[in-house]
């Protein structure tokens, strides 16, 4: 009510923001009172207070990063300007550093204000301040001040080479700025303001395709899962590089999946989604709208749009010529405007290939120059090798390294490729340096440790493309490239780099292809006598339906060379199969699509290991809690395995040895199996580090990537005490459980249910004395709240027998069960007490309240909703799950998880598992007796 009252004073549209929330959670623009009431209710369920303020849609958004010490020295380290005007969260915006469209007066006015604010608030360390600036006048407003390192701080640190967190930590410890040395020049102090002679463009990455029902609209709450940073000497070069970094399928600033009509483009520009930049590209490429018209709709500054128009002018010139007739001047102009060789080849009017353009470019002496990020625009010599490449420049700042090993990083964080692969990349570089190799890292993700310039001997903040890796490989005369520690992007480059003559270190490129290409892999598995589900390579729709009729539904459709199960689907009937095939064909055009029998109710098992010349030198076998059918990245992992028999383990060991030998693996490998009855079948083999390598390394107490790196460069691993396939006593005395983290709350409208395509955006892991203890700790670490009293249950009929046991356990330890009608009938028949609730789409009564209303009114502490493909009440089930997400109520949607949860909670209530009642340090002090304490009450420790 308070929000509604205040909104009347401010006027609509108004903006609401949640306090104490990260990434704009629960914020948004409200057009009228109904919208305000809905958004305010959801926001207040995740935050104690909200702010209602005037909306400044269309103003410029500018950020400053300021550092201050206790002697009142103040420095503005970096200022950034959003390409998208206000109304889109800065984490969702394309951002340029330094700002590009501010006048000198505007820049200094905001800088002076930032310093005044930081001094007034008495901040010591680092502070981030965000402004709204009126595009036509000098009117401005401070939107927010973060007296801490924020998401932009990582970007600012990488963009300027000024390590904000490092400096802030020193200032907080009381050191003056004049005594903190600039880490890049090693000569100047941190009191120097960085000056940049390049432009940095940050572009976010979204993964909406992986969710059903989610809105693609972007606004004041964050939905992006990662970001990239492109560095160039002009905006044109910088933004084209950054667009390609977001995903290898993006060629640059050009249309992607064309809009049919002009009104569709205008709608996209007016109501922005993750595809807006491609709508601008199509409007300019097809001459549909002028810069002025685009500005009118989007309020994006004319200067930015003119630069984009400039990129299109070069395209138009190239379209009129062939690769052989193209002048060197035009080729250089294209390269300066950020065009890749592949883009140029696609644009010119003859059938040129990427290699034709590369050969022509090298013959004309058009090569990229390597430049240092030196924080002070080349005024002082830099001592680090923090590098980027550009076609603007007369010479390189560094000599060729003449050798060394290149490690390819993981690229942009996305669903399926996150910090796990960064951990692997960093571990590989550190091992190489320890062994005395000159190490080079290529990566472009500002959020990673691998892009810290002091982790390796050379850090190229560059694209992970065939063209750029070859540029660096040839210029530095490298010894070889490691492609197996960065996930799917480097893995996909193995064949193209190998064909171009680069030396791939570790498993041979041909063998990587044999594992990734579904057809070759399945043939090979049959050949070496390892069991696998029945399969067929797809050539036509008819052959797919024929295969499904032969083995019976359900069947699994899977494309080749994809990460995190992109476009992988289970079909239960002909109609679903047709839809799955259409999607898979779109994702995997060059590589085959395979259809296989989907084994229901099977346990999924994984083997993570390290090979050396086809022999396994390190291994770990772990098991999923969820049955096969939940993507391994979304499953809860248990190490050591807790339910599989010695017979099954032996079958896994035997198959693993055969596969590693046949593929002649040197380096990391991950093999996945499904087991049911006496069948143990191999379903996949990744000849690279997998997502579970950090978890396995930390649980087993030995770094598997260090072992893999040593194997790749032929060094000895005998002193590492590696666990092999035959080791049975590791880990000893404890169990490790890895649990996934999801972002369904932020993705409004998405259905929070798990399947073969990955949806989690993070993970946690915990150790415990038993599987149940480790599982509960891990679950609580994801932010799951232990239910206090009321649990709502709605379970599909096929699963009721299994669920009855869980329901009884929960009832016995004092929980009150509220069941939907069908579930309640079966529970009552099986003598499990419960109360009946009506479905979300029905009217609630006093006896049978409405399920959604109970969740909204905070009467329910946990929702258990388990659908199967036979579920009829699809809308009701979806509404229950979605309401639980929107109002911050814990949700379980998988039968095996519910079994594990009810067993663990039952054990905890009966026997008290340890380590679940976590206390803060201060609570611990209060409970501590004088005799237990090892310090006096006045001492701080």
């Amino acid at each position: 009510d308070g929000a509604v009252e205040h909104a009347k004073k401010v006027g609509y549209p108004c903006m609401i923001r949640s306090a104490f929330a990260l990434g704009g959670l629960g914020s948004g623009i409200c057009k009228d009172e109904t919208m305000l009431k809905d958004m305010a209710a959801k926001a207040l369920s995740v935050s104690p207070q909200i702010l209602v303020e005037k909306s400044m849609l269309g103003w410029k958004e500018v950020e400053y990063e300021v550092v201050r010490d206790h002697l009142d020295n103040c420095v503005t380290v970096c200022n950034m300007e959003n390409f998208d005007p206000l109304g889109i969260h800065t984490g969702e915006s394309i951002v340029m550093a330094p700002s590009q469209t501010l006048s000198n007066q505007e820049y200094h006015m905001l800088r002076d204000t930032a310093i005044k604010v930081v001094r007034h608030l008495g901040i010591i360390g680092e502070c981030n301040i965000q402004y709204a600036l009126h595009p036509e006048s000098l009117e401005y407003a401070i939107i927010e001040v973060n007296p801490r390192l924020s998401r932009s701080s990582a970007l600012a640190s990488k963009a300027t080479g000024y390590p904000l967190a490092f400096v802030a930590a020193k200032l907080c410890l009381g050191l003056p700025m004049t005594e903190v040395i600039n880490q890049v020049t090693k000569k100047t102090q941190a009191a120097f303001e960085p000056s940049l002679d390049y432009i940095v463009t940050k572009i976010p990455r979204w993964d909406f395709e992986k969710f059903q029902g989610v809105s693609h609209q972007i606004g004041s709450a964050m939905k992006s899962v990662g970001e990239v940073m492109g560095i160039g000497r002009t905006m044109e070069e910088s933004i084209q590089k950054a667009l390609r970094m977001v995903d290898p399928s993006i060629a640059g600033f050009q249309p992607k999946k064309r809009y049919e009509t002009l009104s569709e483009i205008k709608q996209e520009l007016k109501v922005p989604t993750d595809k807006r930049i491609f709508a601008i590209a199509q409007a300019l490429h097809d001459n549909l709208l002028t810069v002025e018209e685009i500005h009118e709709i989007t309020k994006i500054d004319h200067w930015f749009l003119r630069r984009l128009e400039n990129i299109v002018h070069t395209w138009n010139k190239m379209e009129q010529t062939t690769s052989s007739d193209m002048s060197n001047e035009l080729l250089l102009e294209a390269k300066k405007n950020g065009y890749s060789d592949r883009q140029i080849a696609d644009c010119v009017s003859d059938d040129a290939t990427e290699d034709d353009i590369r050969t022509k470019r090298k013959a004309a002496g058009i090569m990229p120059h390597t430049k240092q990020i030196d924080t002070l625009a080349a005024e002082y010599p830099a001592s680090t090798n923090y590098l980027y490449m550009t076609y603007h420049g007369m010479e390189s700042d560094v000599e060729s390294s003449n050798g060394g090993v290149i490690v390819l990083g993981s690229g942009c964080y996305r669903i399926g490729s996150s910090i796990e692969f960064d951990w692997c990349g960093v571990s590989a570089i550190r091992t190489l340096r320890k062994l005395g190799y000159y190490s080079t890292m290529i990566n472009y993700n500002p959020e990673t440790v691998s892009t810290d310039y002091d982790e390796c001997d050379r850090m190229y903040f560059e694209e992970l493309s065939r063209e750029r890796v070859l540029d660096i490989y040839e210029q530095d005369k490298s010894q070889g490239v490691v492609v197996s520690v960065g996930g799917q992007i480097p893995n996909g480059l193995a064949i193209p780099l190998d064909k171009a003559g680069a030396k791939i270190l570790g498993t041979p490129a041909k063998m990587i292809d044999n594992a990734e290409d579904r057809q070759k892999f399945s043939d090979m598995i049959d050949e070496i006598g390892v069991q696998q589900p029945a399969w067929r390579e797809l050539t036509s729709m008819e052959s797919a339906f024929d295969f499904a009729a032969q083995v019976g539904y359900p069947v699994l459709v899977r494309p080749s060379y994809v990460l995190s199960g992109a476009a992988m689907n289970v079909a239960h009937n002909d109609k679903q199969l047709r839809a799955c095939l259409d999607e898979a064909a779109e994702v995997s055009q060059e590589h085959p699509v395979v259809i296989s029998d989907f084994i229901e109710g099977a346990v999924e098992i994984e083997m993570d290991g390290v090979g050396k010349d086809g022999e396994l030198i390190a291994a770990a076998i772990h098991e999923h809690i969820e049955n096969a059918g939940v993507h391994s990245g979304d499953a809860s992992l248990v190490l050591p395995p807790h339910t599989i028999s010695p017979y099954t383990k032996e079958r896994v060991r035997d198959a693993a040895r055969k596969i590693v030998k046949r593929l002649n693996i040197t380096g990391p490998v991950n093999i996945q199996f499904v087991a049911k009855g006496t069948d143990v079948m191999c379903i996949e083999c990744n000849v690279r580090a997998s997502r579970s390598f950090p978890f396995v390394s930390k649980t087993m107490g030995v770094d598997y990537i260090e072992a893999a790196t040593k194997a790749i460069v032929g060094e000895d691993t005998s002193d590492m005490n590696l666990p092999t396939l035959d080791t049975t006593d590791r880990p000893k005395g404890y169990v490790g459980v890895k649990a996934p983290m999801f972002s369904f709350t932020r993705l409004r409208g998405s259905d929070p249910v798990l399947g073969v395509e990955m949806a989690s955006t993070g993970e946690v892991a915990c150790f415990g004395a038993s599987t149940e203890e480790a599982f509960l700790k891990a679950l609580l670490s994801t932010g799951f709240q232990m239910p206090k009293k009321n649990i709502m249950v709605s379970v599909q009929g096929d699963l009721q027998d299994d669920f009855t046991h869980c329901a009884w356990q929960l009832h016995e330890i004092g929980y009150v069960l509220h069941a939907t009608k069908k579930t309640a009938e079966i529970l009552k028949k099986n003598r499990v007490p419960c109360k009946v609730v009506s479905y979300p789409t029905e009217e609630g009564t006093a006896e049978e309240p409405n399920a959604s209303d109970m969740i909204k009114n905070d009467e329910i502490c946990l929702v258990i909703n388990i659908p199967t493909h036979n579920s009829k009440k699809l809308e009701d089930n979806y509404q229950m799950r979605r309401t639980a997400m929107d109002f911050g109520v814990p949700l379980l949607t998988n039968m095996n998880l519910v079994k594990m949860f009810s067993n663990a909670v039952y054990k905890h209530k009966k026997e008290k598992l340890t380590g679940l009642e976590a206390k803060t340090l201060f609570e611990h002090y209060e409970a501590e007796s004088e005799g237990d304490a090892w310090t006096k009450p006045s001492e701080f420790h």
Side-chain angles (χ1 to χ4, degrees), residues 467-482:
E467 175 184 339
R468 191 42 41 95
V469 174
L470 285 174
D471 287 339
I472 296 169
Y473 179 84
E474 288 165 6
Q475 177 202 293
D476 281 354
K477 303 181 182 67
S478 297
Q479 287 160 261
V481 185
V482 176

Side-chain angles (χ1 to χ4, degrees), residues 22-24 63 65 89-92 128 130 146 148-156 202 222 224 227 447 746:
L22 267 180
E63 277 188 74
E65 297 284 340
H89 189 283
T90 164
E92 301 283 271
N128 153 283
Q130 292 170 24
N146 289 313
R148 56 170 167 81
L149 287 131
S150 65
R151 190 179 327 86
S152 319
S153 310
L155 177 70
K202 177 216 92 175
M222 256 187 91
S224 59
E227 61 189 34
E447 309 169 301
R746 290 178 186 277

Side-chain angles (χ1 to χ4, degrees), residues 846-889:
E847 290 77 47
E848 295 181 9
N850 177 288
S852 289
D853 290 345
M854 287 187 76
I855 300 170
K856 287 178 185 169
N857 298 336
D858 208 13
E859 293 168 40
I860 299 291
C861 316
L862 168 67
V863 175
I864 295 176
N865 178 291
I866 309 176
T868 69
H869 64 279
N870 292 328
S871 297
K872 300 283 183 284
K873 298 264 183 191
L874 297 179
E875 179 57 30
D876 283 312
N877 282 328
Y878 165 71
Q879 279 197 28
M880 253 185 271
R881 295 191 291 269
R882 193 58 239 174
T883 311
M885 278 297 121
D886 286 339
F887 288 86
V889 177

Side-chain angles (χ1 to χ4, degrees), residues 472-644:
I472 296 169
Y473 179 84
E474 288 165 6
Q475 177 202 293
D476 281 354
K477 303 181 182 67
S478 297
Q479 287 160 261
V481 185
V482 176
V483 297
S484 56
V485 292
Q488 198 59 46
I489 293 179
N491 215 38
L493 287 172
I495 306 278
L497 290 174
D498 185 59
K499 281 184 182 155
K503 185 174 187 225
I504 302 295
L505 298 175
T507 307
K510 182 170 170 280
M511 292 303 178
I512 296 177
D513 189 48
N514 283 351
E516 286 286 344
D517 187 308
R518 299 269 178 216
Q519 169 74 35
K520 291 177 185 169
F521 179 65
S522 293
D523 282 342
M524 180 199 84
I525 290 287
D526 285 344
E527 191 187 306
I528 58 174
V530 169
Q531 198 183 355
Q532 64 176 330
W535 64 278
R536 182 184 291 179
E537 185 187 10
L538 286 190
T539 42
S540 66
M541 284 278 190
E542 284 65 51
S543 81
F545 290 122
D546 174 49
F547 175 83
Q550 224 175 328
V551 299
Y553 284 105
V555 293
L556 180 68
V557 176
R558 48 201 312 172
S560 303
Y561 278 100
V562 296
L563 185 69
S564 70
M568 193 156 49
N569 281 304
V570 177
H572 291 94
N573 52 44
D574 286 0
K575 186 182 167 198
Q576 287 180 359
L577 181 57
R578 176 164 276 125
C580 297
L581 293 171
D582 290 344
E583 190 187 347
E586 197 175 286
V587 171
S588 189
Q589 287 140 342
E590 293 167 29
H591 302 288
V593 173
V594 165
I595 182 170
S596 62
D597 186 12
F598 179 69
I599 316 293
E600 285 189 289
V603 179
E604 193 160 337
I605 304 160
E606 291 190 57
M607 193 286 305
D608 281 317
V610 176
K612 190 171 186 179
D613 304 324
E615 296 294 326
L616 271 170
I617 56 169
I621 297 172
H622 46 93
E623 175 188 353
H624 295 188
I625 291 177
E626 296 85 348
N627 280 345
V630 171
H631 189 279
S632 61
D634 285 351
S636 309
L637 268 49
V638 183
L639 178 66
H642 66 302
T643 66
I644 58 178

